[in-house]
Amino acid sequence: MTAVVTRFAPSPTGYLHIGGARTALFNWLYARHHGGRFRLRIEDTDRKRSTEEAISAILDGLAWLELDCDDEVVYQSTRAERHAEVAERLLAEGKAYRCYCTPEELAEMREHRMAAGYKTRYDRRWRDRDPSEAPAGVPPVIRFKAPMEGQSVVADLVQGEVRSDNDQFDDIVLLRSDGTPTYTLSVVVDDHDMGVTHVIRGADHLTNAFQHSFIFDALGWDTPAFAHLPLIHGADGARLSKRHGALSVGAYRDMGYLPEAMRNYLLRLGWSHGDDEIIPTEQAVAWFDLDAVGRAPARFDLDRLASLNGHYLRETADARLAALVAERYADAHGAAPDADALGLLERGMAGLKTRAKTIAELTDNATFYLAERPLVPTSKAAKLLHGDGAAVLACLAPTLAAIERWDAEALEAATRAHAEREGVKLGSVAQPLRAALTGTTVSPPIFEVMEVLGRGECLARIEDAGAAAT
RNA sequence: GUCCCCUUCGUCUAGAGGUCCAGGACACCACUCUUUCAAGGUGGAGACACGGGUUCGAUUCCCGUAGGGGACACCA
């Protein structure tokens, strides 16, 4: 039993999207679970569409998801020579041939054969033709001699045994007329050379797997095990596309999702372990295997991601959350919170984090800890302060100022006693207090907030509110 | 058009012939806790696409229909 080697092989034509991220995750998990290696190959084969930005977006995306890869990253474009060499070998062995058809000729053939109901697009006119008949000045492509009869089967670890009649496989191009390799040739050669044992990728490649198998066989190479994952669809069931909004993992990072939540979410899309829902990565590594991957495509559900994110948020250490909020706040306001402010955030985090689903929301809710006096209240909060609110606070202020031990417990006890003396409900005191201290009508428990904020700041904010109300 | 794959609550799924008048989670609705809002707790509504078989018995096996998805480039 050789050690497992998996690989993630994106083409750098855009950001790392949700589907790619899940493919990467499954490859990574499979490798980690089996104590194997997880490799990265950038499929930048010539293509004008491949860009440096896309490559770094993919690298960043994987780094954010904390899917570390082993060995060096392979750039497919650097391997064209080796690919061509393999094509030549196939040619020499009579397993491939030169085809001199022009693109126009092929387009016409395709159209005609399609209309006539043929199973293949290319009529194989050069397959058995004598090379001496080659037209002068036409650079040929090299085509693979696909089997024409019988049936083939791909033993897929997810899809099961998939069969197909051989009469519908075209003799695909291996090497273009300009000598560059096509995708089909490149994957096979690279997977072999990289020692890949398990090819885990999207189901959109299922049909290609037949062609890949043919080539592996023709070369006398061991065919890796295949596992084709069902695709991820948008919430409407249609294929994921631009109109579904954010597709890149970077966009989710920016929206304030945690990588561990994203991993957990993606993991449960198509894979399950009984009724388990919350599956931290360590547990996933221990449990993951391909036999529990389903075959039906799944829809992307933002609510589910948000819920999971809320869960992980609540489990995250306050210091890390405070740092993430500070970073976000700095991005939005241009100034990073100082050490004192960071301390406030960290101490306030316990009350804050049960009230947010994303870091973005958390940051919004935390701004009252970071804002400079005097606070600018929301309109609802201002309304509370302009009514009897100001008077209520003015009446309460001396009581608060006289408190000896400034903590939530003492503050609540004193305020409750005050409300009772005044014959009012606690709420009618607490709400104006909240408005004055946080500038909003919704916040963590107000006495907790007061403890974190400290005596001086609280009394000052109450005074500010009183001044603004007059 | 040809070939391949898929089909359990709105969504993700458990279920591998009787344990299922189908279980969990998210979302939703109540109630509860409560100084606000959350979180938490309790409860509720909600699905085996359809039609044939096979079987004493099908969500589970087979066939068909419908619907969805994928692949059919000198793209990857």
Side-chain angles (χ1 to χ4, degrees):
Chain A
M1 188 74 185
T2 53
V4 165
V5 177
T6 65
R7 107 271 126 129
F8 177 50
S11 58
T13 55
Y15 39 68
L16 174 62
H17 58 85
I18 293 300
R22 191 190 50 161
T23 301
L25 174 67
F26 281 27
N27 273 284
W28 182 87
L29 283 171
Y30 191 77
R32 293 291 170 262
H33 175 80
H34 290 283
R37 285 177 293 146
F38 167 64
R39 306 195 59 181
L40 177 64
R41 178 172 74 231
I42 302 291
E43 306 219 320
D44 56 349
T45 309
D46 92 328
R47 308 310 307 291
K48 341 287 171 240
R49 299 199 326 228
S50 301
T51 65
E52 281 301 318
E53 297 75 62
I55 292 175
S56 45
I58 289 166
L59 261 21
D60 289 350
L62 290 175
W64 179 68
L65 282 167
E66 298 165 310
L67 302 180
D68 55 309
C69 48
D70 304 305
D71 307 313
E72 74 287 358
V73 176
V74 172
Y75 288 84
Q76 198 161 60
S77 58
T78 65
R79 302 186 28 87
E81 239 174 88
R82 154 108 257 237
H83 301 154
E85 176 191 311
V86 171
E88 291 297 338
R89 179 184 142 193
L90 252 11
L91 190 64
E93 291 174 0
K95 293 165 179 165
Y97 59 97
R98 292 198 172 89
C99 164
Y100 295 85
C101 290
T102 62
E104 297 73 39
E105 213 173 333
L106 289 168
E108 197 181 318
M109 204 184 295
R110 190 177 309 138
E111 201 172 320
H112 168 252
R113 291 174 67 84
M114 175 106 160
Y118 285 95
K119 297 192 174 185
T120 54
R121 302 305 171 76
Y122 173 60
D123 66 7
R124 297 185 156 111
R125 62 180 61 174
W126 287 96
R127 181 163 168 139
D128 298 309
R129 199 145 150 194
D130 194 299
S132 66
E133 292 178 45
V138 177
V141 299
I142 292 180
R143 282 184 188 272
F144 180 74
K145 283 186 182 174
M148 294 166 67
E149 292 167 352
Q151 202 183 48
S152 294
V153 37
V154 166
D156 193 283
L157 263 22
V158 169
Q159 307 289 336
E161 291 199 344
V162 183
R163 294 161 197 291
S164 203
D165 290 332
N166 290 336
D167 62 8
Q168 58 199 314
F169 295 112
D170 254 313
D171 286 351
I172 53 138
V173 173
L174 260 19
L175 217 57
R176 303 188 183 95
S177 53
D178 65 359
T180 60
T182 60
Y183 161 78
T184 309
L185 209 218
S186 303
V187 248
V188 170
V189 176
D190 289 347
D191 281 340
H192 173 263
D193 290 358
M194 287 167 75
V196 173
T197 60
H198 296 258
V199 172
I200 304 169
R201 83 247 281 194
D204 49 340
H205 283 104
L206 184 55
T207 325
N208 294 334
F210 285 96
Q211 297 280 10
H212 297 165
S213 294
F214 297 154
I215 299 174
F216 273 108
D217 289 349
L219 258 5
W221 293 344
D222 285 340
T223 305
F226 291 115
H228 290 91
L229 310 173
L231 269 18
I232 297 175
H233 292 166
D236 58 359
R239 184 178 194 167
L240 228 34
S241 68
K242 282 73 45 194
R243 71 197 169 78
H244 288 104
L247 290 176
S248 80
V249 298
Y252 289 95
R253 178 198 54 214
D254 295 345
M255 285 187 275
Y257 291 93
L258 261 16
E260 52 269 50
M262 184 56 96
R263 265 181 263 133
N264 195 149
Y265 176 69
L266 257 16
L267 174 67
R268 285 288 289 99
L269 226 44
W271 179 86
S272 61
H273 184 271
D275 282 340
D276 295 302
E277 302 289 349
I278 303 294
I279 306 170
T281 302
E282 210 177 304
Q283 186 60 260
V285 168
W287 280 343
F288 189 81
D289 220 328
L290 262 7
D291 52 10
V293 176
R295 280 186 273 181
R299 300 184 186 202
F300 187 80
D301 179 9
L302 194 59
D303 281 338
R304 198 70 176 328
L305 209 211
S307 159
L308 243 11
N309 203 59
H311 171 84
Y312 282 99
L313 219 52
R314 275 171 257 136
E315 300 223 314
T316 299
D318 295 342
R320 178 181 163 206
L321 253 18
L324 286 169
V325 166
E327 189 183 318
R328 213 162 235 284
Y329 187 82
D331 283 349
H333 299 263
D338 58 23
D340 285 350
L342 216 50
L344 278 188
L345 275 182
E346 188 172 340
R347 278 178 287 128
M349 208 44 81
L352 252 14
K353 65 182 176 183
T354 57
R355 270 157 263 262
K357 289 266 195 281
T358 65
I359 299 292
E361 212 182 321
L362 191 60
T363 305
D364 279 348
N365 296 346
T367 49
F368 72 85
Y369 277 129
L370 303 173
E372 295 285 329
R373 283 182 41 227
L375 263 41
V376 181
T378 61
S379 62
K380 276 187 186 169
K383 213 169 282 177
L384 266 176
L385 262 10
H386 280 264
D388 335 314
V392 169
L393 290 183
C395 175
L396 174 69
T399 305
L400 293 179
I403 283 178
E404 289 175 29
R405 214 178 70 235
W406 192 270
D407 63 29
E409 204 184 332
L411 287 161
E412 176 164 356
T415 308
R416 276 188 191 279
H418 172 85
E420 215 163 298
R421 272 199 306 279
E422 298 295 319
V424 297
K425 283 196 289 189
L426 182 58
S428 64
V429 180
Q431 274 306 88
L433 205 45
R434 189 185 318 279
L437 297 175
T438 70
T440 67
T441 55
V442 174
S443 83
I446 197 60
F447 303 111
E448 203 177 296
V449 167
M450 291 173 82
E451 177 179 331
V452 173
L453 235 27
R455 183 195 302 262
E457 184 68 20
C458 286
L459 295 178
R461 289 189 184 191
I462 288 169
E463 203 167 312
D464 287 345
T470 50

